[in-house]
Amino acid sequence: MGNRVIKIFDTTLRDGEQTPGVSLNVNEKLQIAKQLEKLKVDVIEAGFAIASPGDFEAIKVISENIKDAVIVSLARAVEKDIDRAYEALKNAQAPRIHTFIATSDIHMKYKLKMTEEEVLERAVAMVKYAKKYVSDVEFSCEDATRTRIEFLIKVFDAVIKAGATVINIPDTVGYTTPEEMKRIIRAIKENIPDIDKVQISVHCHNDLGLAVANSLAAVEEGVHQVECTINGLGERAGNAALEEIVMALKTRKDFYNVDVLIDTTQIYRTSKLVSSLTGIFVQPNKAIVGANAFAHESGIHQHGVLSERSTYEIIDPVSIGLPKNRMVLGKHSGRHAFEERLKELGYTDLTREEIDAAFEKFKVLADKKKVVLDKDIEALLEQKSLNIPETYELIKFQIISGNDLISTASVKIKSGEEEFEEAATGDGPVDAIFKAIDRITGLQVELDDYSIKAVTQGKDALGEVTVRIKKDGKAFLGRGLSTDILEASAKAYVNAINKMLYKISEE
């Protein structure tokens, strides 16, 4: 008999999208969902159907396109939420409704203003209501780790009898500790007669930096499912990081004695994609996917790794899909060499149109850089179109700037068949460009964040600019890529505006 298999429930598209400043459109969510399918996650929580028309549409589109994972919509323990969740999920091959209600004293008293009896009655009624739609129903006791254990057991026992197939223990505010998590799970297993009929799940937040430790403690105690996000995204301090949980279980299989079905070679690409689309950069010293995760600066460490990798590396970088940074292509490289390199980097599902578009961008870049690196190619691919209408397209710009001059920008932009040109002055060349673009669009937006990073090393490195703009309290992310940081800035700003207009049209 083989090891117990831990199911990986990814909630990047639901809880992860609640990260402050993150706002994904339907096409971006679908792109992430397709990558999660390649990663072979067992369950994808695609959103919260009642939250907005955009969330509903994303769940619907993901349900229709993803076939190798269970697709989930979150729903409060309210009939209209469950109705909306089913409407979004009904075309999924394996739909699950995930309903929840708070059970801690503090939440029942101050948020719900409900008694224990009312909460219990609502939980049971809504699980039964969800079962009319789907056979697979997950139930969560919100703030479970601060709920009195007797009441937690009572609620879980009742919802299991009502037909729940998964019971989830959320550490909603990241309050618990590994030993405490184990005690909660033991109490549930020892005091609920029908516990063997359901899967036990945990959902841990990282407010005290214990999300992964608490999740692994739950695995030790026999849970069947762990809920997590790519790069640990999520509200406040985030959720348990999928890549850390998976690689801990893989690397220390001798200790945990469990299996996961994740294709770990897709971890790096998934992390990069999520970071790119959300605009939330991964800290360099982040475990597994951080830029320094496999870097060795100490002379002793370098000598050890060169002699025998396992002296200081417990994970083979190749096992998470980390590409070797080789100088592979230049301006004289042909289409065949480029396509072969794409395959080696794992881009095996591109359409002919996407390959052609990437090759054209590569040739333009190769004229500006002596050598094109793997990370340059990845950056070009991350910039591929997501079928978002380009309301505005940057045609050209010109800058006059200096340390004793007022920066002036002239920008030409195309919209439909018309071209518009405006000039503006600003506090530096980037500000001048943005103000000229604002004059053309006539839109009043607030620049919330601006960041720039080099994709690779060297003076001719690609620069990647990320801007976050806000309008009516909603944030929209734009990205631009160029060896010229001013051009990258202009592209990023136009991209953010196009995404904003697209998102508004969705809703």
Side-chain angles (χ1 to χ4, degrees):
M1 189 173 178
N3 290 334
R4 179 165 54 99
V5 175
I6 301 299
K7 292 188 176 180
I8 299 299
F9 176 119
D10 181 273
T11 184
T12 302
L13 295 174
R14 201 277 302 169
D15 207 333
E17 208 215 359
Q18 291 173 216
T19 302
V22 172
S23 178
L24 299 169
N25 61 49
V26 171
N27 285 305
E28 289 168 333
K29 288 183 179 181
L30 179 60
Q31 189 180 358
I32 290 172
K34 286 180 176 178
Q35 182 57 35
L36 291 172
E37 189 176 34
K38 287 182 191 173
L39 185 62
K40 291 185 166 47
V41 301
D42 301 281
V43 186
I44 297 173
E45 189 164 50
F48 195 166
I50 198 76
S52 71
D55 243 31
F56 176 87
E57 186 62 25
I59 298 167
K60 184 173 179 290
V61 169
I62 290 168
S63 295
E64 292 166 351
N65 285 275
I66 303 298
K67 302 304 177 188
D68 293 334
V70 174
I71 306 300
V72 180
S73 173
L74 190 66
R76 293 168 301 184
V78 178
E79 286 187 5
K80 66 177 182 179
D81 280 36
I82 293 169
D83 292 339
R84 194 71 171 152
Y86 175 67
E87 196 62 31
L89 288 168
K90 64 184 180 183
N91 293 324
Q93 198 156 298
R96 177 188 296 177
I97 292 174
H98 179 191
T99 189
F100 71 97
I101 195 167
T103 52
S104 65
D105 289 343
I106 192 168
H107 275 245
M108 289 190 293
K109 180 178 179 180
Y110 294 105
K111 187 178 81 170
L112 298 179
K113 295 179 170 51
M114 293 170 70
T115 65
E116 280 189 11
E117 291 71 25
E118 289 170 331
V119 167
L120 182 62
E121 186 180 327
R122 176 78 65 84
V124 169
M126 290 305 101
V127 167
K128 287 180 177 178
Y129 188 77
K131 287 290 279 191
K132 293 178 183 178
Y133 287 127
V134 296
S135 60
D136 191 2
V137 176
E138 179 169 340
F139 178 80
S140 288
C141 287
E142 186 184 7
D143 206 20
T145 56
R146 293 196 297 172
T147 298
R148 283 177 293 104
I149 193 66
E150 297 80 12
F151 186 54
L152 191 67
I153 290 167
K154 190 175 182 180
V155 174
F156 278 145
D157 187 34
V159 297
I160 291 170
K161 287 182 170 69
T165 48
V166 182
I167 59 165
N168 183 45
I169 306 163
D171 185 23
T172 305
V173 292
Y175 182 73
T176 200
T177 66
E179 283 305 313
E180 196 169 52
M181 177 63 85
K182 286 184 179 182
R183 285 201 299 273
I184 292 169
I185 295 165
R186 275 199 297 271
I188 290 168
K189 293 174 77 172
E190 290 168 2
N191 291 283
I192 299 178
D194 294 331
I195 196 66
D196 291 337
K197 295 179 181 178
V198 297
Q199 294 177 26
I200 305 172
S201 172
V202 291
H203 177 115
C204 298
H205 280 261
N206 204 38
D207 297 69
L208 295 176
L210 293 171
V212 170
N214 288 333
S215 300
L216 293 174
V219 169
E220 286 183 69
E221 207 54 49
V223 302
H224 309 88
Q225 174 181 282
V226 176
E227 305 193 358
C228 42
T229 60
I230 301 299
N231 299 337
L233 288 181
E235 290 190 279
R236 304 183 313 279
N239 289 261
L242 180 150
E243 61 278 4
E244 295 179 25
I245 290 169
V246 167
M247 292 313 295
L249 296 177
K250 286 270 191 183
T251 306
R252 294 307 312 274
K253 190 173 179 178
D254 61 314
F255 178 80
Y256 292 105
N257 294 312
V258 297
D259 287 324
V260 286
L261 303 180
I262 295 293
D263 178 359
T264 62
T265 63
Q266 293 292 330
I267 284 176
Y268 175 75
R269 275 193 65 190
T270 310
S271 171
K272 288 276 291 179
L273 177 67
V274 169
S275 176
S276 170
L277 294 181
T278 61
I280 306 296
F281 298 125
V282 176
Q283 68 195 61
N285 61 327
K286 165 82 170 62
I288 313 302
V289 292
N292 295 346
F294 297 98
H296 303 275
E297 189 163 318
S298 160
I300 295 172
H301 286 212
Q302 289 174 346
H303 175 72
V305 169
L306 290 171
S307 301
E308 168 54 47
R309 184 187 59 78
S310 61
T311 52
Y312 287 101
E313 281 187 359
I314 59 172
I315 299 169
D316 185 348
V318 175
S319 71
I320 65 161
L322 192 69
K324 292 174 182 175
N325 198 16
R326 288 172 288 177
M327 299 184 188
V328 289
L329 299 170
K331 63 186 294 183
H332 300 297
S333 299
R335 185 182 296 269
H336 179 71
F338 180 73
E339 289 188 30
E340 283 301 307
R341 194 70 202 110
L342 290 180
K343 290 176 186 175
E344 288 173 20
L345 289 171
Y347 294 96
T348 55
D349 59 343
L350 299 177
T351 64
R352 172 50 53 190
E353 291 76 16
E354 287 172 333
I355 292 172
D356 289 345
F359 183 68
E360 289 307 311
K361 289 180 182 177
F362 158 73
K363 294 301 282 184
V364 171
L365 178 61
D367 274 335
K368 298 177 181 178
K369 289 192 68 178
K370 290 181 180 178
V371 174
V372 179
L373 305 175
D374 287 350
K375 287 186 177 179
D376 292 319
I377 296 173
E378 287 178 337
L380 293 177
L381 265 294
E382 286 168 11
Q383 287 278 303
K384 70 179 180 180
S385 170
L386 294 172
N387 298 317
I388 296 168
E390 283 197 311
T391 306
Y392 296 105
E393 179 188 354
L394 178 69
I395 302 299
K396 69 174 186 177
F397 70 95
Q398 190 172 2
I399 292 289
I400 299 172
S401 186
N403 65 340
D404 59 351
L405 294 173
I406 295 174
S407 295
T408 305
S410 173
V411 178
K412 182 182 281 189
I413 282 180
K414 186 176 181 181
S415 181
E417 295 302 314
E418 292 187 78
E419 291 185 355
F420 304 90
E421 190 165 5
E422 281 285 354
T425 59
D427 185 16
V430 173
D431 186 45
I433 288 171
F434 290 176
K435 284 178 176 173
I437 293 170
D438 287 343
R439 283 189 176 182
I440 293 171
T441 64
L443 296 168
Q444 297 298 315
V445 298
E446 174 193 349
L447 180 63
D448 185 54
D449 190 38
Y450 172 94
S451 62
I452 182 166
K453 68 171 185 175
V455 173
T456 52
Q457 296 159 341
K459 291 179 181 178
D460 61 353
L462 268 177
E464 181 180 50
V465 171
T466 303
V467 300
R468 182 177 291 113
I469 61 173
K470 275 190 175 179
K471 187 170 179 63
D472 300 329
K474 294 182 179 178
F476 305 93
L477 189 79
R479 294 173 65 244
L481 198 68
S482 175
T483 51
D484 180 339
I485 61 170
L486 295 179
E487 182 182 11
S489 300
K491 285 181 175 179
Y493 198 65
V494 171
N495 182 233
I497 290 170
N498 285 334
K499 284 188 178 180
M500 178 186 74
L501 295 173
Y502 177 71
K503 186 85 171 178
I504 289 170
S505 71
E506 275 186 348
E507 301 181 353

